[in-house]
Amino acid sequence: MTKSNRTLNRIILLVLGLVAVIVGLAIGAGVLPAVRDALQPYLTFPRSVQVPAASLWIVAAACAVVIVLSLVWVFTRGGGGTSVAVRERNGEDAVTINVALVRDVVDHELSGVRDVVGAKVDTYLVKRQRAARIRVAVRRGGDAVTVLEAVDRALAVLDRTLGRQIPVLVHLTGGTRAALAKPTRVH
């Protein structure tokens, strides 16, 4: 439910990091004799470089463009995550319900379900409407149908608690936490 692709973000960060390391080594080799001596077996740097002034302006402009694009990229990411689950306004009065209430209701309702390892609730602004994402970790070998029925019951309680329905995305997960969870003991 975010606006950006996580893999694309990681690739961009990797490329920018590698470029920064290479530029740093090149600048360090040109300025610091110790860096130049350490890189001497691998690379040969000229003792002096003659760069035309026009090229420096082109490099400076390219750096400025990269900085501006990076700032635009950083400030437009985020996906609209919010801590407010419901906000109702009536004239001058306003009622705000925090995501913690939604989290508590869902956790309370799912606490007795044997196949549920845990649940996480996040709220987002999607097209100016608040929506919730509930990620439920299901125990390995657990019954997904039973878990979904328990989540439906939890959502019904949540709707009664809030006094209205909110859009909800339910995501059942397995994975490391579910695989490493202690098995339920029957007494």
Side-chain angles (χ1 to χ4, degrees), residues 87 115 129 147 154 156:
R87 179 171 285 148
D115 292 330
Q129 184 178 8
V147 172

Side-chain angles (χ1 to χ4, degrees), residues 26-57:
I27 291 173
V31 175
L32 302 171
V35 175
R36 185 181 321 118
D37 293 341
L39 292 176
Q40 192 68 27
Y42 309 107
L43 300 170
T44 55
F45 287 100
R47 292 286 177 199
S48 65
V49 177
Q50 299 297 325
V51 179
S55 297
L56 291 177
W57 282 108

Side-chain angles (χ1 to χ4, degrees), residues 21-95:
V21 167
I22 291 169
V23 169
L25 287 174
I27 291 173
V31 175
L32 302 171
V35 175
R36 185 181 321 118
D37 293 341
L39 292 176
Q40 192 68 27
Y42 309 107
L43 300 170
T44 55
F45 287 100
R47 292 286 177 199
S48 65
V49 177
Q50 299 297 325
V51 179
S55 297
L56 291 177
W57 282 108
I58 292 171
V59 169
C63 289
V65 167
V66 168
I67 289 170
V68 168
L69 290 176
S70 298
L71 289 174
V72 167
W73 179 266
V74 166
F75 289 117
T76 59
R77 302 302 107 188
T82 180
S83 63
V84 177
V86 176
R87 179 171 285 148
E88 290 288 332
R89 292 177 192 219
N90 188 3
E92 293 181 14
D93 298 332
V95 175

Side-chain angles (χ1 to χ4, degrees), residues 1-186:
M1 295 176 84
T2 61
K3 294 180 182 178
S4 61
N5 184 338
R6 181 178 292 181
T7 305
L8 179 63
N9 284 341
R10 299 300 188 261
I11 291 170
I12 289 172
L13 286 175
L14 176 69
V15 169
L16 288 177
L18 290 175
V19 168
V21 167
I22 291 169
V23 169
L25 287 174
I27 291 173
V31 175
L32 302 171
V35 175
R36 185 181 321 118
D37 293 341
L39 292 176
Q40 192 68 27
Y42 309 107
L43 300 170
T44 55
F45 287 100
R47 292 286 177 199
S48 65
V49 177
Q50 299 297 325
V51 179
S55 297
L56 291 177
W57 282 108
I58 292 171
V59 169
C63 289
V65 167
V66 168
I67 289 170
V68 168
L69 290 176
S70 298
L71 289 174
V72 167
W73 179 266
V74 166
F75 289 117
T76 59
R77 302 302 107 188
T82 180
S83 63
V84 177
V86 176
R87 179 171 285 148
E88 290 288 332
R89 292 177 192 219
N90 188 3
E92 293 181 14
D93 298 332
V95 175
T96 302
I97 299 175
N98 195 301
V99 68
L101 175 71
V102 177
R103 200 174 289 137
D104 289 343
V105 169
V106 170
D107 285 343
H108 180 266
E109 292 300 316
L110 296 179
S111 64
V113 180
R114 184 175 149 257
D115 292 330
V116 173
V117 175
K120 183 175 180 185
V121 178
D122 300 310
T123 55
Y124 294 90
L125 278 173
V126 180
K127 296 182 181 178
R128 296 182 182 252
Q129 184 178 8
R130 298 180 194 285
R133 176 180 66 179
I134 301 173
R135 287 184 287 178
V136 181
V138 180
R139 186 174 316 282
R140 177 182 272 174
D143 184 15
V145 174
T146 304
V147 172
L148 280 175
E149 289 171 354
V151 170
D152 283 340
R153 286 191 302 274
L155 291 177
V157 170
L158 178 65
D159 291 342
R160 284 194 309 271
T161 303
L162 296 177
R164 64 189 297 252
Q165 288 184 335
I166 59 172
V168 176
L169 170 70
V170 177
H171 184 182
L172 298 182
T173 62
T176 307
R177 182 175 178 196
L180 297 177
K182 294 180 182 176
T184 304
R185 298 181 113 182
V186 179

